Amino acid sequence: PVWSVSSSPSGYYFASAGSDYTARIWTTDRTTPVRILSGHVSPSVNCVTWHPNCNYVVTASDDKTCRMWDIQTGRCVRLLAGSTRGLNLVRVSPSGKFAAGTGLDGTVYCWDLGSGRLVNQFRDSEGMANALSFSACGAGLAVSGEDCSVKIWDVRGSANNLSNPDYFEATRGSSAISSVGSLGFSSTPTQIDRTPLNERIRPGTASPLKTFGTNNISVLDLKYTKRNLLLAVGVVN
């Protein structure tokens, strides 16, 4: 079966992903694929989405990775790893700089597409996520899951997070050793928190910016409009 279909921003190409280890690139005037993207090691390629510049697609698979593909060559140009479970959804930010993917445990992972590095991850609910959508301005990421809610995460400055090794090194980690024995207060080095202020208060790191509950209705899909209005669809019993 085909699990996912996505149309390119240009409208001429579209992509599909299915249960045969591959994603495929198609055109609107041909009945056979123009590229077959092969490289995932699990048969279930669960999602495919386009990069805003139309030159790349990103896929998510049960093999715990997302991959970015060059549609001209069919080659995988970024391997996005770090998930501990299979990934069922992936979306690319409007700027094209970041990709967000979510796995079967509901954790959302954020990768820098320039380097392929995992730069952030967050989780605030149990169970699988059903939908992801970046806001048109790129500042927010909406996530819906099996907990019958929609959560909005602030993803501005996603790479400024302690899970990013470069940022960790630049800020000397979340703590540093401070010897206060010379001041007469203690003869033992004390560990003090030197987490940067923006790391402690930035909503995208620890908790969602907003949470919207439903009347026990699972939200199955989310879509931001160009005017930053969030549309949601679910099943009403």
Side-chain angles (χ1 to χ4, degrees):
V2 175
W3 300 126
S4 177
V5 175
S6 180
S7 179
S8 73
S10 68
Y12 179 61
Y13 293 100
F14 64 96
S16 65
S19 59
D20 61 353
Y21 295 88
T22 70
R24 297 169 187 246
I25 306 298
W26 309 75
T27 63
T28 55
D29 56 1
R30 295 183 61 176
T31 59
T32 56
V34 295
R35 291 285 184 275
I36 297 178
L37 311 177
S38 178
H40 282 292
V41 296
S42 168
S44 290
V45 182
N46 299 315
C47 186
V48 61
T49 191
W50 285 83
H51 191 280
N53 69 10
C54 299
N55 293 321
Y56 306 97
V57 295
V58 184
T59 55
S61 170
D62 279 353
D63 66 4
K64 305 178 185 179
T65 69
C66 289
R67 296 172 187 247
M68 186 166 75
W69 309 83
D70 184 328
I71 69 164
Q72 300 301 323
T73 64
R75 294 178 56 195
C76 175
V77 294
R78 292 288 183 273
L79 175 63
L80 310 176
S83 173
T84 59
R85 300 285 300 275
L87 295 161
N88 63 315
L89 290 170
V90 64
R91 296 291 183 265
V92 179
S93 67
S95 68
K97 185 174 181 180
F98 297 104
T102 184
L104 302 177
D105 61 352
T107 303
V108 179
Y109 302 89
C110 196
W111 293 276
D112 184 332
L113 291 179
S115 64
R117 176 173 289 167
L118 178 67
V119 294
N120 208 336
Q121 63 186 73
F122 35 84
R123 181 184 181 189
D124 191 56
S125 63
E126 298 293 332
M128 186 174 65
N130 295 329
L132 295 174
S133 184
F134 277 99
S135 63
C137 64
L141 178 66
V143 184
S144 69
E146 295 178 340
D147 60 351
C148 299
S149 71
V150 176
K151 295 179 172 64
I152 312 296
W153 296 86
D154 184 346
V155 291
R156 292 172 294 182
S158 287
N160 297 333
N161 183 271
L162 292 178
S163 61
N164 179 350
D166 291 337
Y167 186 74
F168 185 93
E169 179 66 23
T171 58
R172 295 195 293 170
S174 60
S175 59
I177 298 297
S178 174
S179 178
V180 294
S182 60
L183 300 178
F185 297 112
S186 172
S187 59
T188 305
T190 303
Q191 198 138 35
I192 62 173
D193 186 16
R194 290 194 178 176
T195 306
L197 179 62
N198 71 321
E199 182 69 24
R200 296 198 298 269
I201 67 173
R202 187 168 58 80
T205 300
S207 60
L209 186 64
K210 292 283 185 180
T211 300
F212 301 98
T214 67
N215 189 20
N216 292 323
I217 297 171
S218 292
V219 177
L220 302 180
D221 202 6
L222 297 167
K223 179 67 175 179
Y224 268 103
T225 70
K226 292 182 179 180
R227 299 183 65 182
N228 264 3
L229 299 175
L230 180 61
L231 307 178
V233 62
V235 177
V236 180
N237 296 323

